[in-house]
Amino acid sequence: MTGQATAAVELRGVRKAFDGGRLRVLDGIDFTVPARGTLALVGASGSGKTTLLNVLGLLDDPDDGDVLVDGRVVADLDRRAVTRLRAERFGFVFQDSLVDPRRTALENVTLALGFAGVARVDRNESASRALDATGVADRAHVQAGDLSGGERQRVAVARAIAHRPPVLLCDEPTGNLDQENTERVFALLQRYAEADGSVVVVTHDLEIAARCDRSLRVLDGTLHEVAAVERVP
Amino acid sequence: MIRDALTHAVVNIWRALGRSLAFAAAALLATGLLTFAVTDARSSQADVTGDFDALAATHLTVATPVRGLANPRLDATQIEAIRELRGVVGVAWLTVSEADVLDGDGKVGGSKVWSVAGDASALALEVDGRPAPTLTRALYLGGASDAGRAATRFERFVVGGTPLLLDGEVTRSPVLPDLTTSAVVVADGSTPDLSEPGALVVQVKPGWAGDVGRRLATQIAPGNERSVLVAYPPEPEDLRNSVTTTVGSLVWFASLALLVLGALAVAVATVFRVLSERRLLGLYRAIGASGGFVILSIVAEAALTGAVGGLAGAVVGVGAAAAKALATGTPLVVPWILLVGAVLCGFVANALGAFVPAWRSVREPPLSAIRSR
């Protein structure tokens, strides 16, 4: 693993169940997201990878246990403060190249910068920088609906990293991309993890997981380290 | 946040122009129908009111002499007080006597001679086939009288021993038909003497006869009102009120129904719109949009398109009502205040219609929305 060992997000004894408690998905998870590096979460469908990502990204509350961001217990914050914390401290990349098709690439990024509390005068510059970093600067003024799938996903990455959040949470970021775009997007994520923050990737792609600094399998509500030998294809 | 949300709403309207136009068209249709219905109904109401006004009494007559009055001559103050009554247009008073009328051949004929004072316009006379708002000179002859028939040949007459020039022929007298068979002379400026035979005629606005009638007796004979008989044609006032109230109620009911239906249509359309954008709204929420941002942008978009559509609908509705009024020859009454209210209500209904689905969308966990299909 590269980077520092300082915790960006920490889970302490987190439990989460569905179906009235019958389906226990997370069962006392203790887990720390470091300040740098890539981390893969793998596991079978329904194992709880996405639930863990939701809890990490403050999109869902645990039934029990604590989530700490920058050392602060999230449960102690009100809803508005949690929304603000999520916007400022996290970046999200979702499957399906999810962007607003009616807005240009630049507008997609500036909109997210607005949510993150970036001043209006700084938004265009930050957005342009992020689009440049993801290689779609020349497509900045094209409506996202007219971009290719790979371009849209790179715009989504630009949107996630534009405000330089400490933690980037990615849900199957390369799930619907061809090989060439998968390589491009994953390279972007790796570059971010080396220089700016931590990248957590939920993936079914073991090849991607193997290239991450660390890989964890979600199984029976707990986390298991995936050995390096297992990760090498 | 508010500026960002409003900007977001405007961009949404502009970039999804087809959808915005569909929303605006729905608002246009609802407000257009509403405006047309209200304006047309108000015009019809005015038409009905006009019809009733044509039936309404416009003249009150007090036949004289009035018996039992301590002071039968009205003074100028009393006449002015009658003129000041609400609904009164004018007051004329007449006395009648029998006199000999000599024409140019010196033939003698007996005739009633009406002496007119006050506002001659209150009598609604026609002289020589034209309305005669004033009687400025001395003699007019009833066209149906013997003397009137002789008037075609002579201009000089002697009435009751007084030589007079003929000014015209009374061809129509709807208030006092007797004037068409009599001689009419313009009196001096004296006030009416109610002990003499004749009449006091009060012209009123349509619909005011009953009201003025009750007050007139008090003005003429304070404390002795029963001795005064005020006559006027039967008033269709109750029927008029009943019909106009019913039409008014129908207008309000139709307006309310259209407003409710319009709001429901917008709410349903917005529900589908929000459902179709569920993933996008989930994305916004996930990347940090506050609930207020999402709600405000959805509501603002619906309200703005609703307002634009509503204004256009109001113009179209008034135009259609005007065209119908023109084609049918009915009066056009545009209830401007109601119209502004309708546009405002459309705006508010659109906003409220959008609020519920917007509020529901922010209650959904962002990831569930993003993963929805």
Side-chain angles (χ1 to χ4, degrees):
Chain A
M1 184 189 290
T2 59
Q4 305 148 26
T6 313
V9 188
E10 189 180 347
L11 304 187
R12 289 182 187 164
V14 164
R15 295 176 197 281
K16 184 78 181 174
F18 296 102
D19 199 15
R22 284 190 289 277
L23 184 61
R24 193 169 293 177
V25 178
L26 304 178
D27 192 8
I29 299 244
D30 292 305
F31 172 53
T32 298
V33 177
R36 291 281 188 278
T38 50
L39 171 71
L41 292 174
V42 296
S45 291
S47 60
K49 305 184 296 292
T50 301
T51 303
L52 181 58
L53 198 73
N54 289 349
V55 173
L56 273 175
L58 316 184
L59 292 169
D60 204 354
D61 299 323
D63 295 338
D64 196 14
D66 285 323
V67 181
L68 289 84
V69 177
D70 299 333
R72 281 187 292 176
V73 178
V74 172
D76 294 341
L77 304 174
D78 63 25
R79 201 178 179 83
R80 184 173 291 194
V82 171
T83 300
R84 197 163 53 240
L85 193 65
R86 186 166 68 233
E88 291 172 1
R89 309 298 290 168
F90 295 90
F92 293 89
V93 180
F94 300 100
Q95 201 176 4
D96 296 343
S97 316
L98 194 54
V99 289
D100 186 340
R102 288 190 303 266
R103 283 179 164 64
T104 64
L106 187 70
E107 287 168 345
N108 266 280
V109 182
T110 53
L111 186 66
L113 286 169
F115 297 150
V118 175
R120 193 175 283 269
V121 290
D122 299 329
R123 290 179 199 168
N124 268 1
E125 192 186 337
S126 299
S128 298
R129 208 167 36 234
L131 289 171
D132 193 38
T134 55
V136 281
D138 58 329
R139 310 287 278 161
H141 299 288
V142 176
Q143 284 199 15
D146 295 332
L147 298 173
S148 70
E151 286 172 332
R152 277 204 297 273
Q153 192 64 322
R154 279 186 280 156
V155 170
V157 173
R159 182 184 62 206
I161 66 173
H163 62 294
R164 314 196 83 74
V167 183
L168 207 57
L169 300 175
C170 310
D171 188 15
E172 300 281 7
T174 58
N176 286 340
L177 300 181
D178 58 24
Q179 189 60 37
E180 185 187 344
N181 279 307
T182 296
E183 286 302 324
R184 275 181 164 175
V185 169
F186 189 68
L188 286 173
L189 298 178
Q190 278 187 312
R191 208 157 55 232
Y192 192 79
E194 284 165 11
D196 297 296
S198 175
V199 176
V200 179
V201 180
V202 165
T203 182
H204 280 103
D205 187 339
L206 291 180
E207 200 174 321
I208 290 290
R211 291 161 65 184
C212 288
D213 299 321
R214 190 182 175 199
S215 203
L216 295 171
R217 183 184 301 278
V218 184
L219 184 66
D220 297 330
T222 55
L223 289 177
H224 302 267
E225 197 83 32
V226 179
V229 64
E230 189 187 343
R231 292 195 280 132
V232 175
Chain B
M1 186 276 281
I2 292 173
R3 189 178 163 190
D4 281 343
L6 292 178
T7 308
H8 187 69
V10 171
V11 171
N12 270 351
I13 289 171
W14 192 244
R15 297 282 168 78
L17 202 55
R19 183 182 71 189
S20 305
L21 286 176
F23 265 85
L28 185 150
L29 192 67
T31 316
L33 279 171
L34 178 65
T35 306
F36 175 75
V38 169
T39 308
D40 188 49
R42 273 297 167 94
S43 300
S44 300
Q45 198 175 8
D47 198 30
V48 167
T49 306
D51 289 346
F52 275 106
D53 284 348
L55 295 174
T58 52
H59 293 83
L60 288 75
T61 310
V62 177
T64 58
V66 177
R67 308 286 179 201
L69 297 179
N71 187 10
R73 184 173 285 280
L74 298 184
D75 59 28
T77 314
Q78 281 174 292
I79 293 293
E80 203 49 43
I82 293 171
R83 282 199 180 102
E84 293 291 318
L85 289 175
R86 276 192 77 192
V88 170
V89 177
V91 185
W93 53 95
L94 307 91
T95 53
V96 61
S97 58
E98 290 286 337
D100 290 335
V101 177
L102 281 68
D103 62 21
D105 284 342
K107 287 181 181 172
V108 180
S111 174
K112 280 183 185 173
V113 178
W114 289 84
S115 176
V116 179
D119 309 316
S121 60
L123 299 173
L125 290 178
E126 269 183 18
V127 173
D128 298 329
R130 288 188 297 274
T134 53
L135 299 178
T136 53
R137 290 166 66 188
L139 175 65
Y140 299 85
L141 290 174
S145 67
D146 292 341
R149 281 190 286 275
T152 53
R153 291 189 291 122
F154 304 103
E155 288 188 339
R156 292 171 184 279
F157 288 82
V158 178
V159 180
T162 307
L164 295 167
L165 281 174
L166 178 65
D167 290 324
E169 182 187 330
V170 178
T171 46
R172 190 164 173 266
S173 177
V175 182
L176 291 173
D178 208 21
L179 300 190
T180 59
T181 56
S182 312
V184 179
V185 296
V186 176
D188 57 16
S190 62
T191 53
D193 184 346
L194 300 181
S195 63
E196 290 184 5
L200 180 80
V201 175
V202 179
Q203 186 185 4
V204 294
K205 293 175 186 170
W208 284 90
D211 199 51
V212 172
R214 282 187 288 277
R215 289 174 169 79
L216 186 60
T218 310
Q219 291 296 334
I220 292 172
N224 197 12
E225 290 86 351
R226 284 178 172 276
S227 61
V228 180
L229 181 64
V230 180
Y232 56 91
E235 278 276 271
E237 195 175 356
D238 290 342
L239 185 59
R240 175 186 191 269
N241 288 342
S242 170
V243 170
T244 51
T245 306
T246 305
V247 172
S249 300
L250 282 172
V251 170
W252 281 110
F253 179 76
S255 310
L256 204 65
L258 277 169
L259 265 186
V260 170
L261 285 175
L264 277 176
V266 167
V268 169
T270 312
V271 166
F272 281 107
R273 188 217 133 179
V274 170
L275 280 176
S276 74
E277 293 194 343
R278 197 173 156 198
R279 298 188 72 211
L280 207 52
L281 295 175
L283 170 72
Y284 290 154
R285 297 279 291 131
I287 64 176
S290 64
F293 174 92
V294 172
I295 290 174
L296 184 59
S297 60
I298 292 174
V299 169
E301 187 182 335
L304 283 173
T305 49
V308 171
L311 279 173
V315 172
V316 170
V318 169
K324 190 191 168 199
L326 203 64
T328 56
T330 50
L332 175 69
V333 179
V334 182
W336 292 109
I337 293 176
L338 209 65
L339 217 62
V340 171
V343 174
L344 276 179
C345 283
F347 175 82
V348 173
N350 274 18
L352 287 180
F355 177 78
V356 175
W359 181 75
R360 284 177 66 90
S361 78
V362 300
R363 303 273 297 171
E364 183 177 28
L367 253 282
S368 304
I370 288 172
R371 286 176 170 261
S372 66
R373 285 287 184 273

